[in-house]
Amino acid sequence: MSFRDRLLATIRAARPVLEEPDVLVVGSEVPNLLEPEAASTLVVSQDLDIGVPVNRHASVKARLAEMTVSFTPSPEEPSVWTPRSPNLLEVDFVGIDRSRDPMDAYVLEDDQLPLLVFGALSLVTAGAEIELAGTRVRLPRPAGLLLEKLVTDRTGDKGDRDLLVALGLLMTAGPADLDELDALYGTLRPELRHVVRSNLTVLSLLEPTSGMPDPRPRRAAVVSLLRRLEHVEGGLK
């Protein structure tokens, strides 16, 4: 079974939650879904991240029982729902609180659906709504999610995966998305803008990782974005 088929089957199985108002698909699968016909060639991880605004937590929790046919919550990490079938991907729930600073993080405690709320996801806003596998799926605006990946200061494999997600978003971004990125970048504090540029530098030097997209053919696009943001930076001083 192809990765694309597994991704679409997961979306179909998660329909009760995905169609709740304001819920977004975030994370590594967004570039795959932004490709023409959701081609899903930019495989970075084997999970589907679902962003739950904290003000929608109760309504999402009320729909979880409808997902238990296909998934079961992990006893160790209840925000992670593991598939009952190898034909599905894992589902990870994360919290979105747009009132928080991008560097904040906290846990929304709950017996059934605790959420790790990442402040950087406050940069993410709702974008296109598409229909896949009979499910209405809301995607984030690419600029906000791209900036979220670049402003997050992670290291190791997780950091590399985030940067490859950023690369996938850059590969699917249009001119209007980059203009929006410029504007969002300018709203960040100087130290966060420095993190963004540092992560782009790391991405421009990243070597291939087995089973993930090869970043080398896209290095020129990464460097071009870095130069673009350096130009924006010059105008902010």
Side-chain angles (χ1 to χ4, degrees), residues 55-72:
N55 64 325
R56 293 292 186 182
H57 179 263
S59 59
V60 169
K61 189 170 71 168
R63 304 300 299 272
L64 292 176
E66 299 172 63
M67 290 182 54
T68 55
V69 173
S70 302
F71 305 94
T72 183

Side-chain angles (χ1 to χ4, degrees), residues 66-197:
E66 299 172 63
M67 290 182 54
T68 55
V69 173
S70 302
F71 305 94
T72 183
S74 166
E76 296 81 18
E77 199 172 352
S79 62
V80 174
W81 283 52
T82 57
R84 297 184 184 275
S85 165
N87 295 332
L88 299 175
L89 305 177
E90 177 182 284
V91 170
D92 298 341
F93 291 95
V94 295
I96 300 174
D97 186 343
R98 295 192 177 89
S99 70
R100 307 298 287 215
D101 182 87
M103 288 297 96
D104 284 349
Y106 67 93
V107 176
L108 192 162
E109 300 284 0
D110 187 84
D111 291 340
Q112 187 177 3
L113 186 64
L115 294 176
L116 182 54
V117 182
F118 295 100
L121 284 172
S122 65
L123 299 168
V124 174
T125 56
E129 182 177 299
I130 60 177
E131 183 160 335
L132 292 168
T135 305
R136 295 190 309 277
V137 179
R138 293 177 193 82
L139 300 177
R141 296 180 70 84
L145 186 60
L146 175 54
L147 194 60
E148 184 266 332
K149 294 302 174 189
L150 292 174
V151 82
T152 304
D153 192 9
R154 294 191 179 106
T155 58
D157 290 343
K158 174 60 177 170
D160 289 351
R161 285 198 301 271
D162 275 353
L163 291 180
L164 288 173
V165 173
L167 179 61
L169 289 163
L170 178 58
M171 290 164 59
T172 56
D177 298 318
L178 296 180
D179 288 343
E180 185 177 344
L181 179 67
D182 291 347
L184 287 172
Y185 172 84
T187 67
L188 296 177
R189 301 193 305 273
E191 63 268 28
L192 299 184
R193 299 199 302 269
H194 175 75
V195 171
V196 170
R197 299 194 307 277

Side-chain angles (χ1 to χ4, degrees), residues 19-83:
E19 291 196 341
E20 276 297 300
D22 302 325
V23 169
L24 301 174
V25 171
V26 296
S28 61
E29 306 312 341
V30 173
N32 288 310
L33 299 178
L34 286 172
E35 288 186 292
E37 299 182 359
S40 302
T41 64
L42 306 170
V43 182
V44 173
S45 66
Q46 301 284 324
D47 54 17
L48 178 69
D49 290 340
I50 297 180
V52 178
V54 292
N55 64 325
R56 293 292 186 182
H57 179 263
S59 59
V60 169
K61 189 170 71 168
R63 304 300 299 272
L64 292 176
E66 299 172 63
M67 290 182 54
T68 55
V69 173
S70 302
F71 305 94
T72 183
S74 166
E76 296 81 18
E77 199 172 352
S79 62
V80 174
W81 283 52
T82 57

